[in-house]
Amino acid sequence: MARKTVSLVLGSGGARGLAHIGVIECLNARGYEIRAIAGTSMGALIGGIYAAGELLTYTRWVSALSKADVVRLLDFSFSSSGLVKGDRIIGVLKELIGDRKIEDLPIAFTAVATDVREQKEVWLNRGSLFDAIRASMAIPAFFTPFPYHGRLLLDGGLVNPVPIGPTLEIQTDLTVVVMTGARARPELDAAPAPESAPAQEVRSNHLAGYSRRIAEVIERLPWRPEEAEPAEAGVEEMGLFDIIVRSTETMQNTIARLKMAAYSPDVVVKIPRNACGFLEFYRAQEMIELGRRQVERVLNDLEQ
């Protein structure tokens, strides 16, 4: 029996986007052949690294991250255009993965960004892989905008959080969309699962050399919006970062529903928006497993 071919569309979502790894692993394990990938923000990062054949390398690296490691990767900017420059994380990934030309990748790949001056969607499918990824993940107010061939680019999720369009040029059996802003599930509002013993050991080793000040910064970061103390009974008080993230996600989820209604993908894998906080990259293994479970459920229904 011939393998079914797939066009894979990976949405944004910060650390929730790590669920894309589990989706890809499950598709591969069940014999699907991914021929085209389009991604926005975190979806561009995971999709691009997979297209380069280095997803296992990235998965091992991200699965070992602790809270302290996440902080170390944030090169805070003194610019008024964004909190984080993003050069450090891209530099680490280039060293880990190696940069590639998108046109040389064995799988067709497109990263979607937003031209903030022209106010339009930009498809990046040629040139440096990591330039395209950095442009696509330039979340407003968090990452500084990315200058690219005379354009000033921001996160593609502003205009297209589920970029199905770039995959339509390649004929495949199925279009699979992974949406990371699906309806919240109350059972996921509980505290995150405790770290495994190896992860705790890695975290302890990294934290050993940090000053008390850095440790305090780590604990103050907005890992989960739910950690905020309510201003009054039944009313949640949100900080500026939480307001920016939630406002952006509200806009993106509305656009995503419209895009999917217009294109009618064959498979939609839904990752609940409260699965983890925006910066909780230290929960990689948990998110990968969630992605695997969600796509297995959909594929089981599809294959019946």
Side-chain angles (χ1 to χ4, degrees), residues 19-278:
H20 297 321
I21 298 173
V23 171
I24 291 171
E25 289 179 347
C26 182
L27 287 171
N28 285 335
R30 294 179 72 143
Y32 291 87
E33 179 186 351
I34 300 170
R35 288 191 178 175
I37 301 175
T40 288
S41 199
M42 193 62 186
L45 190 151
I46 299 296
I49 289 175
Y50 173 72
E54 295 290 347
L55 187 60
L56 180 59
T57 301
Y58 175 80
T59 301
R60 288 172 174 167
W61 174 78
V62 77
S63 295
L65 291 181
S66 65
K67 280 188 179 182
D69 295 320
V70 175
V71 173
R72 290 176 64 186
L73 291 169
L74 301 177
D75 48 350
F76 293 99
S77 169
F78 294 101
S79 167
S80 60
S81 61
L83 179 65
V84 174
K85 290 185 289 186
D87 296 341
R88 185 174 299 163
I89 177 61
I90 293 298
V92 169
L93 291 175
K94 280 184 179 180
E95 184 175 347
L96 183 72
I97 305 298
D99 202 2
R100 317 288 169 85
K101 295 289 187 183
I102 296 175
E103 57 268 32
D104 295 336
L105 299 178
I107 297 173
F109 172 72
T110 302
V112 175
T114 301
D115 186 326
V116 68
R117 293 193 180 110
E118 297 295 326
Q119 299 184 1
K120 67 179 183 180
E121 181 177 339
V122 178
W123 295 359
L124 303 174
N125 50 24
R126 298 187 65 81
S128 164
L129 173 62
F130 279 105
D131 278 356
I133 289 172
R134 172 62 181 87
S136 184
M137 60 187 282
I139 301 163
F142 188 75
F143 284 114
T144 55
F146 186 69
Y148 186 81
H149 297 303
R151 293 169 163 166
L152 196 61
L153 302 183
L154 287 173
D155 192 319
L158 294 173
V159 291
N160 198 348
V162 283
I164 300 171
T167 68
L168 298 180
E169 295 180 357
I170 296 179
Q171 294 297 316
T172 56
D173 298 316
L174 296 172
T175 296
V176 177
V177 170
V178 186
M179 180 182 177
T180 59
R183 184 184 299 275
R185 285 166 40 187
E187 67 271 22
L188 295 176
D189 283 331
E195 291 178 307
S196 63
Q200 289 176 344
E201 183 179 353
V202 170
R203 181 178 176 184
S204 297
N205 290 339
H206 281 290
L207 283 174
Y210 285 91
S211 66
R212 181 177 302 173
R213 181 180 177 186
I214 293 298
E216 290 173 352
V217 169
I218 293 170
E219 294 308 317
R220 286 201 302 268
L221 279 173
W223 304 105
R224 295 179 65 82
E226 294 81 10
E227 291 176 358
E229 292 293 331
E232 57 184 86
V235 179
E236 180 185 16
E237 181 181 4
M238 292 188 291
L240 178 60
F241 180 82
D242 295 331
I243 290 172
I244 292 170
V245 170
R246 293 199 184 188
S247 298
T248 302
E249 288 182 344
T250 299
M251 176 189 68
Q252 289 179 346
N253 291 340
T254 300
I255 296 172
R257 287 191 291 269
L258 293 173
K259 292 286 186 182
M260 288 192 291
Y263 286 104
S264 299
D266 302 290
V267 174
V268 179
V269 181
K270 296 180 179 180
I271 307 301
R273 60 178 175 265
N274 64 331
C276 76
F278 178 78

